[in-house]
Amino acid sequence: MITRLFVKASIIAGFLIFSLTANSADLSSRQSALKSIQVQINQQQNSLKDTAKQREKLIALLKSDEQAIAKAAQKVNQSQTSLATVNTKLRELDKQQIELASLKTSQQETLSNQLSSAYLAGNHDYTKMMLNQQKPAAVERMLAYYQFLNNARIKAIKQLKQTSIDLDTVKQQQVTAQQKLNALVIDQKQQALQLTKEQGQRQQTLTQLQRTLSSKGAELEQLQIEEASLKRIVQQAMLAAKANPTMDGIASQKGKLKWPTNGRISKRFGSSRSGQIVWKGAVLAAPEGQNINAVASGKVIYADWLRGFGMVLVIDHGKGYMSLYGHAQTLLKQPGDMVKSGESIALVGRSGGQREPGLYFEIRNKGKAVDPAYYCR
């Protein structure tokens, strides 16, 4: 009996020891797994932090790249304007040269005819004519006639001389203008190369930035940050607009304004952008470098780079109305400049991290975005 009880006790004790050992091993395994998960979480959090930091650095680099592009594009635009001016001047000088050359030929013929007439009239002894007392009236008429011819010849010679001087001046101006034109062409080529270089650098930065925005969550977060940046700029612009002289606004021009550039509307006001975020303006697909024009007269109250929208220009039109132009390649106006309706204010680009060229265009009334299609025909 005692032996049986001892055997039972031994079996029970062994089972308890086995159970305790098994539970202890399972707990240890769970704790190990938990630690492993915590390490992975920490690694993921650190990775996210590193990605966010990298993204911010790349956005700062993108800003620098796009500002460099804006400067290069502005120089190219200025060179093109200068080239057009010099070419116009050359055409005017060419026209003047033709007119002066024709005038010189005409004056030479006139002088030649006068000299021929004087020669054919023969030589006259003016002393005898003056001492001839028989026909004083005839002598007086003859003297007046010769004096008239002499004055005419003197005048023709002076005119021919002045025309020759003018012609030489025009020819020298042509040479100077042509030299300036040649220098501008060389300068423009260098600027175009610099622009291409800056665009290549931007593309590298943009490719790296896109890698950090591979997930939908990261992209949505980026759009929310960009929208907040735009909201802040609009608020600043509204404060700046209050300090401006009263202007007429654009309420009376609803449906009459021209779109700021020629292009196809690729994104419409109010359409979905991502998640709950919608477009507060319209995107017009247009060729890079094409002119962007002010839709109405007003005062520039913002002109700078803005996260997500690139090179942005805002115009106050008065009465709480303002228009916003984004993704520009370069801006041609500065804060404080007064602009007229239809005046060129920027060039179409792809700044703000865009892959395709276009214009982001907004109209706001007292800070609230309104559909630009209501105002532009």
Side-chain angles (χ1 to χ4, degrees), residues 4-255:
R4 289 179 179 178
L5 289 173
F6 178 77
V7 170
K8 280 186 177 182
S10 298
I11 292 170
I12 292 169
F15 179 77
L16 288 172
I17 292 168
F18 175 78
S19 297
L20 289 171
T21 305
N23 288 338
S24 177
D26 186 48
L27 181 62
S28 177
S29 176
R30 288 179 181 179
Q31 288 176 340
S32 178
L34 181 61
K35 286 181 180 179
S36 177
I37 291 170
Q38 287 175 339
V39 169
Q40 290 178 15
I41 290 171
N42 290 333
Q43 287 176 344
Q44 193 68 22
Q45 287 176 338
N46 291 332
S47 177
L48 288 172
K49 287 179 182 178
D50 291 341
T51 301
K53 287 179 181 178
Q54 184 185 9
R55 187 185 304 145
E56 291 303 315
K57 287 180 180 178
L58 287 169
I59 287 172
L61 186 58
L62 181 67
K63 176 182 178 180
S64 177
D65 291 340
E66 292 184 342
Q67 286 176 331
I69 287 172
K71 287 181 181 179
Q74 192 172 51
K75 287 181 180 179
V76 169
N77 184 68
Q78 289 170 348
S79 293
Q80 288 174 341
T81 303
S82 298
L83 279 170
T85 302
V86 173
N87 274 317
T88 301
K89 181 66 175 176
L90 269 174
R91 286 194 293 270
E92 291 174 356
L93 290 171
D94 288 342
K95 185 180 178 181
Q96 287 181 27
Q97 184 188 21
I98 292 169
E99 291 173 351
L100 287 170
S102 177
L103 179 61
K104 183 178 180 181
T105 301
S106 175
Q107 290 172 342
Q108 285 174 332
E109 289 177 358
T110 300
L111 183 59
S112 178
N113 291 334
Q114 289 177 354
L115 293 173
S116 297
S117 297
Y119 177 78
L120 291 172
N123 295 322
H124 296 275
D125 189 338
Y126 296 103
T127 304
K128 289 182 179 180
M129 289 173 62
M130 292 178 67
L131 294 174
N132 189 350
Q133 300 298 319
Q134 294 179 355
K135 297 179 180 179
V139 172
E140 186 175 351
R141 284 197 302 273
M142 189 61 69
L143 287 172
Y145 172 69
Y146 281 113
Q147 184 64 41
F148 173 78
L149 290 178
N150 189 50
N151 289 340
R153 284 194 296 272
I154 292 171
K155 183 179 180 181
I157 291 169
K158 286 182 177 178
Q159 287 176 339
L160 180 59
K161 184 179 179 181
Q162 185 59 48
T163 300
S164 298
I165 292 171
D166 291 344
L167 188 58
D168 289 339
T169 302
V170 167
K171 286 180 178 179
Q172 184 57 48
Q173 288 176 342
Q174 281 179 308
V175 171
T176 303
Q178 189 62 53
Q179 289 173 344
K180 185 177 180 181
L181 183 64
N182 294 340
L184 280 171
V185 169
I186 293 171
D187 190 40
Q188 190 183 36
K189 286 180 179 178
Q190 292 175 342
Q191 290 166 359
L193 288 172
Q194 181 64 28
L195 179 58
T196 303
K197 179 182 176 182
E198 298 295 352
Q199 287 173 333
Q201 179 62 49
R202 172 194 176 272
Q203 187 58 46
Q204 291 178 14
T205 304
L206 188 58
T207 301
Q208 294 177 19
L209 181 60
Q210 289 298 327
R211 290 172 184 164
T212 68
L213 297 171
S214 56
S215 68
K216 284 290 182 182
E219 185 179 353
L220 181 61
E221 181 188 359
Q222 183 68 13
L223 289 176
Q224 289 170 339
I225 293 171
E226 291 170 4
E227 194 171 54
S229 299
L230 182 60
K231 185 178 179 180
R232 185 177 69 255
I233 292 303
V234 169
Q235 290 172 344
Q236 292 176 3
M238 287 176 66
L239 291 174
K242 289 180 180 179
N244 289 339
T246 303
M247 290 178 281
D248 296 333
I250 58 173
S252 62
Q253 302 180 62
K254 189 176 287 188

Side-chain angles (χ1 to χ4, degrees), residues 261-333:
T261 195
N262 294 325
R264 173 182 58 84
I265 298 179
S266 60
K267 304 293 181 184
R268 294 188 177 276
F269 174 85
S271 61
S272 177
R273 192 174 180 187
S274 180
Q276 298 298 315
I277 298 177
V278 298
W279 288 99
K280 299 296 178 62
V283 177
L284 283 77
E288 193 164 17
Q290 183 171 281
N291 278 334
I292 298 171
N293 305 316
V295 294
S297 299
K299 184 177 183 179
V300 178
I301 52 178
Y302 182 86
D304 204 347
W305 190 90
L306 180 64
R307 181 170 179 163
F309 298 91
M311 302 305 294
V312 172
L313 187 140
V314 181
I315 299 175
D316 172 35
H317 303 290
K319 308 291 185 184
Y321 284 95
M322 64 178 67
S323 56
L324 182 147
Y325 312 78
H327 300 326
Q329 184 185 56
T330 190
L331 307 177
L332 305 179
K333 300 295 180 180

